[in-house]
């Protein structure tokens, strides 16, 4: 089944404790992206990747890191999480950066205490 | 800067027709997309317009006017299951989403 898989689904952590949210797609998509969703603010892009080893900042990249060493994986890393990073996170992918259809993972609800 | 504007909430009656508007301001433009998101779920793709005009997919239609930087999503024969949030999105170098429109459907 074609899908974008995110893990974990829920995560509670404390300020400053490094964490990684994994994202994997099995559709051979070139484009992958991370969004955070907060009430009233919609989906804001954190980072995106047009292909392996190519990443670019979105609108809210501060406090986040990403890597794209393999085509299928695009992990989101929070080196030192802070409470303002408490949010719902979505990974998404599409065939190319120009494709109109994004496939989303099921989301990760992160709480930073 | 880049921005997309859409109403925060819309209410309609079951069986009726509702239109959700989206205006955008971006430095570049490849097309306008629409996504649906139910509470607790992930956004799912509904439609895409790269050229002016109307695209129809079942009960849902989407319209684009590039000269007006404007588009809309039209939902016909509304059903209770259509209660959700709807997002417009444009691609410049990156894909940007509006803040979403919450659709409430009354029986």
């Amino acid at each position: 089944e074609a899908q974008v898989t995110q893990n974990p689904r829920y995560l509670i952590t404390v300020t400053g404790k490094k964490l990684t949210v994994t994202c994997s797609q099995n559709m051979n998509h070139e484009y992958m992206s991370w969004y955070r969703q907060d009430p009233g603010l919609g989906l804001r892009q954190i980072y995106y990747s047009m292909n392996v080893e190519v990443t670019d900042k979105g609108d809210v990249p501060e406090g986040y890191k990403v890597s794209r060493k393999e085509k299928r994986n695009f992990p989101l890393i929070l080196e030192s999480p802070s409470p303002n990073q408490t949010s719902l996170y979505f990974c998404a992918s599409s065939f190319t950066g120009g494709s109109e259809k994004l496939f989303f993972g099921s989301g990760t609800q992160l709480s930073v205490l | 800067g880049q921005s997309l504007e859409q109403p925060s909430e819309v209410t309609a009656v079951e069986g009726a027709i509702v239109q959700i508007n989206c205006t955008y301001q971006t430095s570049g433009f490849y097309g306008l997309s629409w996504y649906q998101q139910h509470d607790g779920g992930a956004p799912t793709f509904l439609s895409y317009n790269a050229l002016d005009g109307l695209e129809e997919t079942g009960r849902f239609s989407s319209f684009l006017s590039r000269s007006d930087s404007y588009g809309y999503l039209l939902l016909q024969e509304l059903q209770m299951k259509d209660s959700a949030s709807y997002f417009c999105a444009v691609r410049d170098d990156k894909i940007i989403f509006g803040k979403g429109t919450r659709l409430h459907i009354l029986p």
Side-chain angles (χ1 to χ4, degrees):
Chain A
E1 179 189 355
Q3 60 185 0
V4 179
T5 303
Q6 269 181 254
N7 281 296
R9 184 73 177 88
Y10 301 94
L11 180 59
I12 301 174
T13 189
V14 295
T15 300
K17 186 176 182 181
K18 180 180 178 180
L19 66 91
T20 300
V21 185
T22 63
C23 175
S24 180
Q25 51 90 8
N26 62 1
M27 295 169 279
N28 201 36
H29 284 170
E30 294 182 354
Y31 181 90
M32 298 187 75
S33 181
W34 277 102
Y35 295 87
R36 61 176 288 175
Q37 187 173 31
D38 302 288
L41 297 179
L43 290 152
R44 293 183 292 168
Q45 191 173 50
I46 303 171
Y47 270 95
Y48 64 102
S49 169
M50 300 291 281
N51 214 324
V52 176
E53 301 291 359
V54 180
T55 62
D56 269 302
K57 295 178 181 179
D59 293 319
V60 289
E62 293 78 20
Y64 304 95
K65 285 177 57 177
V66 293
S67 68
R68 188 88 182 275
K69 295 185 172 62
E70 306 165 285
K71 199 170 188 178
R72 63 182 292 124
N73 295 323
F74 191 46
L76 179 69
I77 303 158
L78 285 72
E79 295 269 4
S80 183
S82 62
N84 65 11
Q85 292 178 298
T86 292
S87 187
L88 177 59
Y89 291 86
F90 287 103
C91 178
S93 71
S94 67
F95 185 63
T96 68
S99 172
E100 67 277 11
K101 185 173 182 178
L102 278 173
F103 293 79
F104 281 83
S106 54
T108 297
Q109 181 64 60
L110 172 65
S111 295
V112 183
L113 306 177
Chain B
Q2 302 178 65
S3 66
L4 291 91
E5 297 292 330
Q6 53 180 129
S8 58
E9 289 186 274
V10 172
T11 300
V13 178
E14 189 177 15
I17 300 172
V18 71
Q19 178 174 312
I20 300 173
N21 299 320
C22 175
T23 57
Y24 59 88
Q25 186 173 22
T26 58
S27 52
F29 179 81
Y30 290 92
L32 182 71
S33 303
W34 289 93
Y35 289 79
Q36 179 191 60
Q37 185 181 29
H38 286 101
D39 285 345
T44 56
F45 173 83
L46 289 177
S47 68
Y48 174 72
N49 295 69
L51 303 175
D52 287 358
L54 192 68
E55 296 280 344
E56 297 181 65
T57 308
R59 295 187 296 113
F60 293 3
S61 304
S62 56
F63 172 83
L64 175 65
S65 168
R66 294 176 69 117
S67 60
D68 295 323
S69 298
Y70 163 76
Y72 66 72
L73 179 69
L74 191 73
L75 296 82
Q76 303 182 74
E77 301 173 16
L78 284 171
Q79 302 175 10
M80 297 305 292
K81 67 179 182 179
D82 298 329
S83 294
S85 292
Y86 293 84
F87 295 87
C88 57
V90 300
R91 180 185 167 249
D92 183 356
D93 290 326
K94 50 199 179 203
I95 300 173
I96 304 163
F97 284 79
K99 293 182 180 179
T101 298
R102 179 80 181 199
L103 173 61
H104 302 280
I105 299 176
L106 304 176

